[in-house]
């Protein structure tokens, strides 16, 4: 399973989002710091979920990081758009 698929599965399971897009942006960072050559180091996530209602942006981002669990330390960069 690719890192993108792992992230999608974890976020689907945690939030049952109404919208979810996980984009591997690693190709944009080839040769830069944090590029481990795997092609799976930099990701952007757009997620919308009812679970985020009443949470501020920091709380939403913490919830996403918690849901991703051990995935976060295995990547270099994660850009989040939670709609906050």
């Amino acid at each position: 399973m690719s890192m993108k698929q792992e992230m999608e599965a974890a976020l689907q399971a945690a939030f049952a989002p109404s919208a979810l897009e996980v984009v591997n942006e690693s190709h944009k960072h080839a040769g830069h710091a944090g590029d481990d050559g795997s092609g799976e180091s930099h990701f952007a996530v757009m997620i919308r979920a009812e679970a985020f209602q009443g949470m501020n942006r920091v709380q939403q981002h913490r919830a996403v990081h918690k849901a991703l669990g051990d995935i976060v330390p295995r990547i270099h960069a994660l850009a989040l758009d939670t709609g906050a």
Side-chain angles (χ1 to χ4, degrees), residues 51-84:
F52 295 148
Q53 293 296 318
M55 292 183 186
N56 64 36
R57 185 183 315 224
V58 172
Q59 292 168 324
Q60 291 174 1
H61 287 209
R62 285 180 179 158
V64 169
H65 278 254
K66 183 177 179 180
L68 292 174
D70 74 336
I71 295 171
V72 176
R74 294 189 283 146
I75 61 176
H76 178 71
L78 177 62
L80 294 177
D81 174 359
T82 57

